Amino acid sequence: MSEFLTLTITAMVPFLFVAQGTMLSGRAGIFNVAQEGLMLLGAAVGYVVSLKAGGNVVGLVAAALAGALVGFILSWATTSLRLDQFVVGLALFFLAGGTASLLYRVVIGNDEPPRIAPLPDLVFGQDALVFVAVALSLFLWWWLYRTDAGMRLRSVGENPKAADSLGINVTRTRLWAGTVGAALMAVGGAYLPMVFSGVYADGIVAGRGWLAIALAFFGGWRPQFILAGSAFFAAMEVLAQRAQVSGIGVPHQFVSMLPYVATLVVMVFAFRWALVPQFLGKNYDRESRIVG
Amino acid sequence: MSGIRKTFGPVVALDGVDFTVANREIHGLLGGNGAGKTTLMNVLYGLYAPDAGTVEVDGSPVTITSPKDAITAGIGMVHQNFLQVDVFTVTENIVLGTDSTKLVAPDGSTQTPAQRIAELSSRFGLTVDPGARVADLPVGVRQRVEILKALYRGAKVLVLDEPTTNLTPQEVDDLFSSMRAIVDDGMSVVLITHKIRETMEVCDRMTVMRDGRWIATVDKADTTADDLAATMIGEIAGGDAEAAALAQTAQVSLGEEELGEASLDTSSEAEPEGAAADTVTPTPARVTVRGLTVAGKGGKPLVDDVTLSLRPGEILGIAGVAGNGQGELAEALTGTRSATGSLSVDGAELVGRPTAAWLGSGVVYVPEDRQRDGILPGAGITENLVLGSHRTRAKAGMINWRAARTEAVAAIKEFSVKTPSAATPCGQLSGGNIQRVILARAFAHNPKLLLLHNPTRGLDLRSTQFVYDRVRRAASQGCVVIVISEDLDEVLALSDRVTVAYSGRLVGEFARGEANPYDLGRLMTGVGA
């Protein structure tokens, strides 16, 4: 049982980073849908840089920077250029995923990939990022609801025109929220080779990025509920792996399906109470003349 | 502000406008819809970047490129559609975007945000509950929050854009006394309105705008309501008859009560059937509604047990503050939303039948949101006019487009739609012209029950007059007309009978001439007459 718990906590970390990043961008109105690609990019950059520069910390920082760049492109294209968020997000999903694959092939080629050192345990058999992820969630909750800057960010996602009319710079807020959010997503991806596999592979993310979007809705775009929700998603993932290994009489495909089914079921009900930011995915144009 | 010019693509919204507000005055900015009043103030508030022109505050020129600059310059604006974050509390909405650490009270001591809000609301009579979520508040209170937002930021000039829309007469009185208190405290107020009565009631000076141009600035003492009406309407190309008709509409839609009464008399003369019905035997009802109910979430119906009986040629006005079930009622009465109960036109029961059957029985709906519910914005005028009659029009599934185009061209002429061609997408037309297209389509169905919801909202004077003319003409031909409007003056001017929508029910009923705005105002807020 304690092993199950340990595994669940570890599995929770990527979900937490990615879903909190989604939440942070979304609360400012940027609906990022490139999570899957950003995680792949983070995993590839994190792996390659850790390997070549010799250190997981450098790898994590590099992954975060790569994610930030993609997030900045998304935010810039949807604020300054007012392009459709969904279309740009999907394009960046392909771009980031393809870049990840390319980077791996260029650096490693077809050789047997060397394993990078796993993240060292800090206490209780858990690595430092576990604590960072949980602390980040609590910090985001405090920051969003207790600080002036958090209130400004929320107002931009709820009603950018109101925020603008009160002197809040909507474009700047969205730029940095989208950038930081994507950086968090890439860190969530970089965690995968550093803890689970030791190497990068194109299938390493395995849909976690898409699940993280569902998780943001599931958690009602609130950091504290996303923290709880990611534990649930992680437990489902571990359960599915268990079933695959031990064979509990149920086809493992069925158990692997559970997180997705659970997501679907939850979404049907969650939409009744989920508080989605009013301007999630919608661009803001000050001079648009909808109101005559 | 001087020489302000602003264009939106090919449209010149403001053309060299000069505007000056003095210290300690309530300045009325008066004009019909589309005159450019709001655009001018949006330029002042930094929401629109002007193409030309300068702004001076207290004698020194300022550059305003964003609302932040405007706030710094001491300008505050209350928009017609409140700019509030619905899920935030009153306090959060007020302090949003401000630095809460450096508040100084009038006596020089430091203040907390809560103290500042409490002080402002008691000083200017703007009572609010600081902890309430704004989404849960009625319009009148949300407006006080908007005013407090501007005052909290130290506004010296407060711009109010059509602030009386959706307020009851009682709330309007409160608002006006708060405005006076604000001015007495050394600030200035700009009141954007299209209602002459309001400027005469509360303003010290007024500026009239028309077609994006400055027309005149006058002191209240030197003018009369008639002069203002004439200035707003301007020169009429169509001769005396059109000028007289337009002036009449202006007086109604601009809220000039006494003159409004005069126009009522004229319109009832134009309806001999209606007049005769009052003195001779009552005509049998043409439209009968019994117990019409639309279920809502949580057991509270959206439309609650509405019962009506309407004679041919009768115009029923339904007043009320927005959000009291008017939209649902309109849809239920026209068969576009499922309801229980009964509605019959000339004895034919329609509830539960498909929309096509309602249309076939002559039930026609002119919805509130023209762009969203009234037209296909990307389709041409011809296509939009064919909609609804497409079934009867089609032969073997094919529509004769040549005939449809010919009819569309005729309709464009009859309804004076300003458009380059019959193929122009409806979304590119102005609000007034879209409404004309919708009316052309409505009358092509030979309506027996015509329902209009906020039919003149956002329309310029000419289009407003056009709508009123058409409504009266339809009634004189025996059509039953229901006008649901949040504009009390409009309801009073058009209707033979007036009732009030409150919380999904229809409360009170007044015959023409018996309705008093304050009685209606009490009903609109749920206080029994």
Side-chain angles (χ1 to χ4, degrees):
Chain A
M1 191 61 209
S2 76
E3 195 202 345
F4 175 75
L5 213 61
T6 313
L7 285 174
T8 301
I9 289 173
T10 311
M12 197 172 97
V13 173
F15 281 128
L16 261 185
F17 275 110
V18 181
Q20 300 292 20
T22 308
M23 185 278 301
L24 186 67
S25 305
R27 272 309 182 89
I30 299 270
F31 189 25
N32 193 329
V33 291
Q35 283 82 349
E36 189 81 5
L38 279 159
M39 287 185 80
L40 277 167
L41 185 67
V45 171
Y47 168 73
V48 168
V49 173
S50 298
L51 194 67
K52 298 295 175 189
N56 287 330
V57 176
V58 193
L60 284 170
V61 171
L65 289 176
L69 178 68
V70 176
F72 182 80
I73 295 172
L74 173 68
S75 312
W76 173 72
T78 57
T79 52
S80 302
L81 303 184
R82 296 199 192 98
L83 299 178
D84 186 276
Q85 294 198 10
F86 190 71
V87 172
V88 175
L90 272 188
L92 288 175
F93 153 66
F94 285 111
L95 181 77
T99 310
S101 193
L102 180 72
L103 177 72
Y104 174 79
R105 250 154 270 253
V106 167
V107 177
I108 308 294
N110 288 325
D111 303 340
E112 175 69 20
R115 296 178 76 86
I116 53 171
L119 287 173
D121 288 351
L122 197 65
V123 276
F124 311 127
Q126 300 291 353
D127 59 76
L129 276 196
V130 169
F131 300 98
V132 171
V134 174
L136 174 82
S137 302
L138 297 175
F139 169 79
L140 282 173
W141 170 78
W142 172 82
W143 184 82
L144 270 180
Y145 292 101
R146 292 288 180 271
T147 71
D148 188 40
M151 187 167 81
R152 288 174 197 223
L153 180 94
R154 285 186 288 133
S155 74
V156 169
E158 289 290 341
N159 189 344
K161 185 148 194 174
D164 188 16
S165 78
L166 296 174
I168 294 166
N169 191 324
V170 174
T171 302
R172 198 190 298 154
T173 307
R174 288 193 162 189
L175 276 178
W176 77 253
T179 304
V180 173
L184 291 176
M185 294 171 200
V187 169
Y191 187 77
L192 298 172
M194 293 183 188
V195 169
F196 292 126
S197 57
V199 294
Y200 171 85
D202 281 346
I204 190 169
V205 178
R208 286 185 184 88
W210 303 118
L211 276 176
I213 303 180
L215 180 53
F217 279 97
F218 179 63
W221 299 86
R222 281 166 287 190
Q224 68 274 33
F225 296 132
I226 287 174
L227 180 60
S230 65
F232 170 74
F233 275 53
M236 285 294 181
E237 186 186 296
V238 174
L239 212 60
Q241 284 162 355
R242 282 288 175 91
Q244 201 167 343
V245 175
S246 61
I248 46 171
V250 190
H252 74 84
Q253 288 90 344
F254 180 79
V255 184
S256 306
M257 198 174 75
L258 279 181
Y260 304 93
V261 174
T263 306
L264 204 66
V265 170
V266 162
M267 293 298 277
V268 168
F269 293 100
F271 265 111
R272 291 166 182 271
W273 52 266
L275 294 168
V276 180
Q278 284 293 307
F279 265 71
L280 181 68
K282 290 182 200 151
N283 293 337
Y284 170 60
D285 179 4
R286 182 188 278 172
E287 295 213 357
S288 80
R289 301 199 81 200
I290 300 166
V291 183
Chain B
M1 304 181 76
S2 52
I4 303 291
R5 181 183 169 84
K6 173 72 186 171
T7 56
F8 293 97
V11 182
V12 180
L14 293 174
D15 192 2
V17 176
D18 301 327
F19 181 72
T20 309
V21 185
N23 221 347
R24 288 173 173 267
E25 75 166 354
I26 299 181
H27 195 117
L29 185 52
L30 189 62
N33 286 306
K37 312 176 297 277
T38 300
T39 309
L40 181 69
M41 289 299 109
N42 276 340
V43 168
L44 179 64
Y45 197 60
L47 283 170
Y48 292 161
D51 303 332
T54 55
V55 179
E56 286 180 21
V57 177
D58 288 338
S60 47
V62 288
T63 313
I64 295 174
T65 58
S66 76
K68 195 171 188 166
D69 298 337
I71 293 167
T72 312
I75 296 159
M77 182 160 175
V78 174
H79 294 81
Q80 192 175 0
N81 300 58
F82 303 142
L83 295 177
Q84 292 171 345
V85 182
D86 286 357
V87 296
F88 284 14
T89 65
V90 168
T91 305
E92 284 174 332
N93 264 294
I94 293 174
V95 303
L96 180 63
T98 60
D99 185 348
S100 55
T101 54
K102 305 182 252 193
L103 291 174
V104 183
D107 60 9
S109 63
T110 53
Q111 267 181 323
T112 65
Q115 283 168 341
R116 162 82 65 108
I117 293 168
E119 181 227 315
L120 289 172
S121 57
S122 71
R123 182 142 55 112
F124 299 114
L126 298 161
T127 317
V128 292
D129 169 10
R133 227 171 61 118
V134 294
D136 304 331
L137 296 175
V139 183
V141 181
R142 292 186 71 152
Q143 181 152 58
R144 283 179 229 147
V145 174
E146 285 291 275
I147 297 174
L148 283 172
K149 258 164 71 175
L151 297 175
Y152 185 88
R153 285 163 179 72
K156 289 178 286 185
V157 179
L158 179 64
V159 181
L160 302 169
D161 189 359
E162 301 278 3
T164 59
T165 312
N166 261 318
L167 296 192
T168 62
Q170 290 84 344
E171 288 173 321
V172 172
D173 289 349
D174 292 344
L175 172 70
F176 285 175
S177 59
S178 289
M179 281 164 59
R180 190 47 71 187
I182 289 166
V183 171
D184 289 343
D185 213 64
M187 289 165 259
S188 307
V189 171
V190 178
L191 172 70
I192 301 179
T193 182
H194 64 277
K195 299 204 168 186
I196 294 172
R197 187 185 64 223
E198 291 177 355
T199 59
M200 290 304 286
E201 198 175 325
V202 73
C203 295
D204 304 312
R205 278 204 303 161
M206 32 272 216
T207 292
V208 179
M209 285 182 72
R210 186 185 346 122
D211 299 333
R213 290 195 185 81
W214 175 89
I215 303 297
T217 299
V218 290
D219 284 346
K220 182 169 80 176
D222 302 339
T223 190
T224 64
D226 287 343
D227 288 348
L228 284 174
T231 317
M232 278 178 71
I233 300 160
E235 301 289 317
I236 302 295
D240 288 347
E242 193 187 338
L246 200 52
Q248 198 180 70
T249 307
Q251 288 144 6
V252 172
S253 74
L254 310 179
E256 198 38 52
E257 265 176 274
E258 297 146 59
L259 297 163
E261 296 294 334
S263 82
L264 289 182
D265 298 341
T266 325
S267 66
S268 45
E269 277 164 33
E271 288 169 46
E273 290 149 274
D278 287 339
T279 50
V280 200
T281 49
T283 331
R286 169 157 242 184
V287 174
T288 311
V289 183
R290 235 171 287 132
L292 197 70
T293 299
V294 175
K297 280 180 195 163
K300 193 186 172 304
L302 296 167
V303 173
D304 192 358
D305 194 19
V306 165
T307 296
L308 291 166
S309 174
L310 295 149
R311 286 176 283 113
E314 192 173 16
I315 303 179
L316 173 74
I318 301 178
V321 176
N324 276 294
Q326 289 101 324
E328 291 81 4
L329 175 62
E331 290 177 3
L333 285 171
T334 51
T336 48
R337 177 186 283 259
S338 54
T340 56
S342 144
L343 185 149
S344 62
V345 176
D346 287 342
E349 175 62 41
L350 289 172
V351 169
R353 305 199 54 207
T355 315
W358 292 69
L359 254 182
S361 301
V363 178
V364 176
Y365 178 31
V366 177
E368 167 183 40
D369 192 333
R370 295 186 270 277
Q371 264 90 345
R372 201 191 64 194
D373 298 335
I375 53 161
L376 303 181
I381 294 175
T382 310
E383 283 90 339
N384 271 289
L385 286 175
V386 165
L387 284 179
S389 63
H390 50 276
R391 284 190 195 79
T392 46
R393 203 182 269 278
K395 287 207 176 68
M398 308 286 279
I399 287 174
N400 182 347
W401 285 107
R402 188 183 300 242
R405 249 190 311 276
T406 316
E407 284 170 40
V409 170
I412 286 170
K413 193 151 175 262
E414 191 195 341
F415 286 80
S416 317
V417 183
K418 270 192 214 128
T419 172
S421 82
T424 305
C426 269
Q428 290 177 11
L429 303 177
S430 74
N433 284 310
I434 290 174
Q435 192 72 326
R436 285 164 195 257
V437 171
I438 294 173
L439 285 177
R441 185 175 63 202
F443 286 112
H445 288 289
N446 296 318
K448 290 179 186 159
L449 167 60
L450 174 64
L451 189 142
L452 308 103
H453 190 188
N454 285 329
T456 62
R457 174 188 282 179
L459 297 194
D460 60 46
L461 219 46
R462 257 164 245 257
S463 298
T464 301
Q465 184 208 359
F466 185 83
V467 172
Y468 290 171
D469 283 352
R470 284 288 167 163
V471 165
R472 291 190 175 123
R473 200 194 296 180
S476 73
Q477 288 162 359
C479 176
V480 172
V481 182
I482 301 179
V483 178
I484 302 179
S485 176
E486 281 133 33
D487 184 342
L488 196 49
D489 294 309
E490 174 168 285
V491 168
L492 289 173
L494 278 176
S495 317
D496 299 318
R497 264 198 292 163
V498 178
T499 179
V500 171
Y502 177 72
S503 192
R505 284 173 295 121
L506 292 183
V507 291
E509 188 177 303
F510 302 88
R512 165 174 297 175
E514 287 175 6
N516 165 320
Y518 285 89
D519 291 341
L520 290 169
R522 271 189 291 279
L523 289 172
M524 282 155 72
T525 49
V527 184

PDB file of all heavy atoms in Angstrom, chain A residues 223-244:
ATOM      1  N   PRO A 223      -6.446  26.259  -8.157  1.00  0.00           N
ATOM      2  CA  PRO A 223      -5.244  25.477  -7.853  1.00  0.00           C
ATOM      3  C   PRO A 223      -5.464  24.416  -6.786  1.00  0.00           C
ATOM      4  O   PRO A 223      -4.936  23.310  -6.889  1.00  0.00           O
ATOM      5  CB  PRO A 223      -4.232  26.528  -7.381  1.00  0.00           C
ATOM      6  CG  PRO A 223      -4.846  27.837  -7.567  1.00  0.00           C
ATOM      7  CD  PRO A 223      -6.232  27.697  -8.055  1.00  0.00           C
ATOM      8  N   GLN A 224      -6.258  24.731  -5.759  1.00  0.00           N
ATOM      9  CA  GLN A 224      -6.396  23.772  -4.665  1.00  0.00           C
ATOM     10  C   GLN A 224      -7.131  22.513  -5.111  1.00  0.00           C
ATOM     11  O   GLN A 224      -6.796  21.386  -4.720  1.00  0.00           O
ATOM     12  CB  GLN A 224      -7.066  24.436  -3.458  1.00  0.00           C
ATOM     13  CG  GLN A 224      -8.522  24.830  -3.614  1.00  0.00           C
ATOM     14  CD  GLN A 224      -8.712  26.203  -4.246  1.00  0.00           C
ATOM     15  OE1 GLN A 224      -7.931  26.633  -5.095  1.00  0.00           O
ATOM     16  NE2 GLN A 224      -9.782  26.905  -3.864  1.00  0.00           N
ATOM     17  N   PHE A 225      -8.132  22.684  -6.001  1.00  0.00           N
ATOM     18  CA  PHE A 225      -8.869  21.506  -6.467  1.00  0.00           C
ATOM     19  C   PHE A 225      -8.074  20.748  -7.526  1.00  0.00           C
ATOM     20  O   PHE A 225      -8.226  19.539  -7.681  1.00  0.00           O
ATOM     21  CB  PHE A 225     -10.237  21.917  -7.008  1.00  0.00           C
ATOM     22  CG  PHE A 225     -11.123  22.505  -5.954  1.00  0.00           C
ATOM     23  CD1 PHE A 225     -11.806  23.699  -6.169  1.00  0.00           C
ATOM     24  CD2 PHE A 225     -11.268  21.880  -4.723  1.00  0.00           C
ATOM     25  CE1 PHE A 225     -12.604  24.254  -5.188  1.00  0.00           C
ATOM     26  CE2 PHE A 225     -12.071  22.436  -3.733  1.00  0.00           C
ATOM     27  CZ  PHE A 225     -12.741  23.624  -3.967  1.00  0.00           C
ATOM     28  N   ILE A 226      -7.232  21.472  -8.261  1.00  0.00           N
ATOM     29  CA  ILE A 226      -6.365  20.802  -9.227  1.00  0.00           C
ATOM     30  C   ILE A 226      -5.382  19.901  -8.482  1.00  0.00           C
ATOM     31  O   ILE A 226      -5.082  18.791  -8.918  1.00  0.00           O
ATOM     32  CB  ILE A 226      -5.634  21.844 -10.101  1.00  0.00           C
ATOM     33  CG1 ILE A 226      -6.638  22.471 -11.088  1.00  0.00           C
ATOM     34  CG2 ILE A 226      -4.475  21.218 -10.857  1.00  0.00           C
ATOM     35  CD1 ILE A 226      -6.087  23.615 -11.900  1.00  0.00           C
ATOM     36  N   LEU A 227      -4.931  20.371  -7.326  1.00  0.00           N
ATOM     37  CA  LEU A 227      -4.041  19.550  -6.493  1.00  0.00           C
ATOM     38  C   LEU A 227      -4.726  18.241  -6.127  1.00  0.00           C
ATOM     39  O   LEU A 227      -4.162  17.154  -6.261  1.00  0.00           O
ATOM     40  CB  LEU A 227      -3.662  20.352  -5.232  1.00  0.00           C
ATOM     41  CG  LEU A 227      -2.737  19.690  -4.218  1.00  0.00           C
ATOM     42  CD1 LEU A 227      -1.411  19.331  -4.846  1.00  0.00           C
ATOM     43  CD2 LEU A 227      -2.495  20.622  -3.029  1.00  0.00           C
ATOM     44  N   ALA A 228      -5.966  18.326  -5.694  1.00  0.00           N
ATOM     45  CA  ALA A 228      -6.708  17.114  -5.334  1.00  0.00           C
ATOM     46  C   ALA A 228      -6.964  16.263  -6.569  1.00  0.00           C
ATOM     47  O   ALA A 228      -6.803  15.036  -6.534  1.00  0.00           O
ATOM     48  CB  ALA A 228      -8.034  17.508  -4.671  1.00  0.00           C
ATOM     49  N   GLY A 229      -7.357  16.918  -7.650  1.00  0.00           N
ATOM     50  CA  GLY A 229      -7.686  16.184  -8.864  1.00  0.00           C
ATOM     51  C   GLY A 229      -6.493  15.450  -9.434  1.00  0.00           C
ATOM     52  O   GLY A 229      -6.627  14.331  -9.942  1.00  0.00           O
ATOM     53  N   SER A 230      -5.313  16.051  -9.324  1.00  0.00           N
ATOM     54  CA  SER A 230      -4.148  15.390  -9.903  1.00  0.00           C
ATOM     55  C   SER A 230      -3.811  14.130  -9.114  1.00  0.00           C
ATOM     56  O   SER A 230      -3.309  13.152  -9.680  1.00  0.00           O
ATOM     57  CB  SER A 230      -2.959  16.348  -9.956  1.00  0.00           C
ATOM     58  OG  SER A 230      -2.562  16.679  -8.655  1.00  0.00           O
ATOM     59  N   ALA A 231      -4.087  14.105  -7.825  1.00  0.00           N
ATOM     60  CA  ALA A 231      -3.884  12.889  -7.038  1.00  0.00           C
ATOM     61  C   ALA A 231      -4.795  11.773  -7.566  1.00  0.00           C
ATOM     62  O   ALA A 231      -4.377  10.622  -7.724  1.00  0.00           O
ATOM     63  CB  ALA A 231      -4.182  13.163  -5.565  1.00  0.00           C
ATOM     64  N   PHE A 232      -6.032  12.140  -7.883  1.00  0.00           N
ATOM     65  CA  PHE A 232      -6.990  11.170  -8.418  1.00  0.00           C
ATOM     66  C   PHE A 232      -6.509  10.623  -9.761  1.00  0.00           C
ATOM     67  O   PHE A 232      -6.495   9.409  -9.986  1.00  0.00           O
ATOM     68  CB  PHE A 232      -8.349  11.859  -8.553  1.00  0.00           C
ATOM     69  CG  PHE A 232      -9.369  11.062  -9.312  1.00  0.00           C
ATOM     70  CD1 PHE A 232      -9.979   9.956  -8.751  1.00  0.00           C
ATOM     71  CD2 PHE A 232      -9.726  11.430 -10.607  1.00  0.00           C
ATOM     72  CE1 PHE A 232     -10.916   9.231  -9.456  1.00  0.00           C
ATOM     73  CE2 PHE A 232     -10.667  10.716 -11.320  1.00  0.00           C
ATOM     74  CZ  PHE A 232     -11.261   9.611 -10.741  1.00  0.00           C
ATOM     75  N   PHE A 233      -6.091  11.524 -10.653  1.00  0.00           N
ATOM     76  CA  PHE A 233      -5.621  11.090 -11.967  1.00  0.00           C
ATOM     77  C   PHE A 233      -4.386  10.200 -11.832  1.00  0.00           C
ATOM     78  O   PHE A 233      -4.250   9.197 -12.533  1.00  0.00           O
ATOM     79  CB  PHE A 233      -5.280  12.316 -12.843  1.00  0.00           C
ATOM     80  CG  PHE A 233      -6.468  12.892 -13.563  1.00  0.00           C
ATOM     81  CD1 PHE A 233      -7.610  13.243 -12.870  1.00  0.00           C
ATOM     82  CD2 PHE A 233      -6.449  13.083 -14.933  1.00  0.00           C
ATOM     83  CE1 PHE A 233      -8.709  13.785 -13.529  1.00  0.00           C
ATOM     84  CE2 PHE A 233      -7.527  13.609 -15.603  1.00  0.00           C
ATOM     85  CZ  PHE A 233      -8.662  13.969 -14.894  1.00  0.00           C
ATOM     86  N   ALA A 234      -3.482  10.585 -10.918  1.00  0.00           N
ATOM     87  CA  ALA A 234      -2.259   9.816 -10.731  1.00  0.00           C
ATOM     88  C   ALA A 234      -2.584   8.426 -10.195  1.00  0.00           C
ATOM     89  O   ALA A 234      -2.009   7.424 -10.634  1.00  0.00           O
ATOM     90  CB  ALA A 234      -1.327  10.558  -9.779  1.00  0.00           C
ATOM     91  N   ALA A 235      -3.518   8.352  -9.263  1.00  0.00           N
ATOM     92  CA  ALA A 235      -3.901   7.055  -8.704  1.00  0.00           C
ATOM     93  C   ALA A 235      -4.454   6.155  -9.804  1.00  0.00           C
ATOM     94  O   ALA A 235      -4.145   4.964  -9.865  1.00  0.00           O
ATOM     95  CB  ALA A 235      -4.946   7.253  -7.599  1.00  0.00           C
ATOM     96  N   MET A 236      -5.241   6.726 -10.692  1.00  0.00           N
ATOM     97  CA  MET A 236      -5.786   5.966 -11.816  1.00  0.00           C
ATOM     98  C   MET A 236      -4.660   5.420 -12.692  1.00  0.00           C
ATOM     99  O   MET A 236      -4.695   4.286 -13.143  1.00  0.00           O
ATOM    100  CB  MET A 236      -6.686   6.866 -12.666  1.00  0.00           C
ATOM    101  CG  MET A 236      -8.031   7.144 -12.037  1.00  0.00           C
ATOM    102  SD  MET A 236      -8.972   5.615 -11.955  1.00  0.00           S
ATOM    103  CE  MET A 236     -10.468   6.203 -11.229  1.00  0.00           C
ATOM    104  N   GLU A 237      -3.667   6.264 -12.913  1.00  0.00           N
ATOM    105  CA  GLU A 237      -2.562   5.862 -13.781  1.00  0.00           C
ATOM    106  C   GLU A 237      -1.791   4.699 -13.156  1.00  0.00           C
ATOM    107  O   GLU A 237      -1.480   3.709 -13.828  1.00  0.00           O
ATOM    108  CB  GLU A 237      -1.643   7.068 -14.016  1.00  0.00           C
ATOM    109  CG  GLU A 237      -0.542   6.814 -15.026  1.00  0.00           C
ATOM    110  CD  GLU A 237       0.417   7.978 -15.125  1.00  0.00           C
ATOM    111  OE1 GLU A 237      -0.024   9.063 -15.531  1.00  0.00           O
ATOM    112  OE2 GLU A 237       1.608   7.808 -14.787  1.00  0.00           O
ATOM    113  N   VAL A 238      -1.512   4.817 -11.858  1.00  0.00           N
ATOM    114  CA  VAL A 238      -0.761   3.757 -11.168  1.00  0.00           C
ATOM    115  C   VAL A 238      -1.567   2.467 -11.162  1.00  0.00           C
ATOM    116  O   VAL A 238      -1.052   1.372 -11.404  1.00  0.00           O
ATOM    117  CB  VAL A 238      -0.406   4.199  -9.740  1.00  0.00           C
ATOM    118  CG1 VAL A 238       0.227   3.063  -8.966  1.00  0.00           C
ATOM    119  CG2 VAL A 238       0.511   5.404  -9.792  1.00  0.00           C
ATOM    120  N   LEU A 239      -2.847   2.597 -10.931  1.00  0.00           N
ATOM    121  CA  LEU A 239      -3.736   1.440 -10.909  1.00  0.00           C
ATOM    122  C   LEU A 239      -3.687   0.706 -12.245  1.00  0.00           C
ATOM    123  O   LEU A 239      -3.623  -0.522 -12.301  1.00  0.00           O
ATOM    124  CB  LEU A 239      -5.165   1.923 -10.632  1.00  0.00           C
ATOM    125  CG  LEU A 239      -6.086   0.990  -9.845  1.00  0.00           C
ATOM    126  CD1 LEU A 239      -5.489   0.704  -8.477  1.00  0.00           C
ATOM    127  CD2 LEU A 239      -7.456   1.628  -9.700  1.00  0.00           C
ATOM    128  N   ALA A 240      -3.688   1.486 -13.316  1.00  0.00           N
ATOM    129  CA  ALA A 240      -3.651   0.893 -14.647  1.00  0.00           C
ATOM    130  C   ALA A 240      -2.349   0.141 -14.868  1.00  0.00           C
ATOM    131  O   ALA A 240      -2.346  -0.977 -15.407  1.00  0.00           O
ATOM    132  CB  ALA A 240      -3.817   1.994 -15.705  1.00  0.00           C
ATOM    133  N   GLN A 241      -1.232   0.715 -14.401  1.00  0.00           N
ATOM    134  CA  GLN A 241       0.061   0.030 -14.551  1.00  0.00           C
ATOM    135  C   GLN A 241       0.078  -1.251 -13.738  1.00  0.00           C
ATOM    136  O   GLN A 241       0.560  -2.296 -14.190  1.00  0.00           O
ATOM    137  CB  GLN A 241       1.189   0.955 -14.091  1.00  0.00           C
ATOM    138  CG  GLN A 241       1.501   2.046 -15.099  1.00  0.00           C
ATOM    139  CD  GLN A 241       2.280   3.178 -14.478  1.00  0.00           C
ATOM    140  OE1 GLN A 241       2.520   3.192 -13.264  1.00  0.00           O
ATOM    141  NE2 GLN A 241       2.671   4.143 -15.296  1.00  0.00           N
ATOM    142  N   ARG A 242      -0.476  -1.195 -12.526  1.00  0.00           N
ATOM    143  CA  ARG A 242      -0.546  -2.365 -11.659  1.00  0.00           C
ATOM    144  C   ARG A 242      -1.290  -3.503 -12.352  1.00  0.00           C
ATOM    145  O   ARG A 242      -0.847  -4.643 -12.369  1.00  0.00           O
ATOM    146  CB  ARG A 242      -1.281  -2.015 -10.352  1.00  0.00           C
ATOM    147  CG  ARG A 242      -0.441  -1.268  -9.363  1.00  0.00           C
ATOM    148  CD  ARG A 242       0.582  -2.230  -8.778  1.00  0.00           C
ATOM    149  NE  ARG A 242       1.489  -1.548  -7.897  1.00  0.00           N
ATOM    150  CZ  ARG A 242       1.279  -1.429  -6.581  1.00  0.00           C
ATOM    151  NH1 ARG A 242       0.205  -1.941  -6.024  1.00  0.00           N
ATOM    152  NH2 ARG A 242       2.153  -0.816  -5.831  1.00  0.00           N
ATOM    153  N   ALA A 243      -2.415  -3.160 -12.905  1.00  0.00           N
ATOM    154  CA  ALA A 243      -3.258  -4.165 -13.540  1.00  0.00           C
ATOM    155  C   ALA A 243      -2.517  -4.813 -14.697  1.00  0.00           C
ATOM    156  O   ALA A 243      -2.632  -6.016 -14.943  1.00  0.00           O
ATOM    157  CB  ALA A 243      -4.543  -3.525 -14.034  1.00  0.00           C
ATOM    158  N   GLN A 244      -1.731  -3.996 -15.363  1.00  0.00           N
ATOM    159  CA  GLN A 244      -0.978  -4.485 -16.509  1.00  0.00           C
ATOM    160  C   GLN A 244       0.072  -5.494 -16.060  1.00  0.00           C
ATOM    161  O   GLN A 244       0.282  -6.513 -16.701  1.00  0.00           O
ATOM    162  CB  GLN A 244      -0.295  -3.290 -17.182  1.00  0.00           C
ATOM    163  CG  GLN A 244       0.095  -3.528 -18.609  1.00  0.00           C
ATOM    164  CD  GLN A 244       0.459  -2.210 -19.271  1.00  0.00           C
ATOM    165  OE1 GLN A 244       0.122  -1.137 -18.773  1.00  0.00           O
ATOM    166  NE2 GLN A 244       1.144  -2.293 -20.383  1.00  0.00           N
TER     167      GLN A 244
END
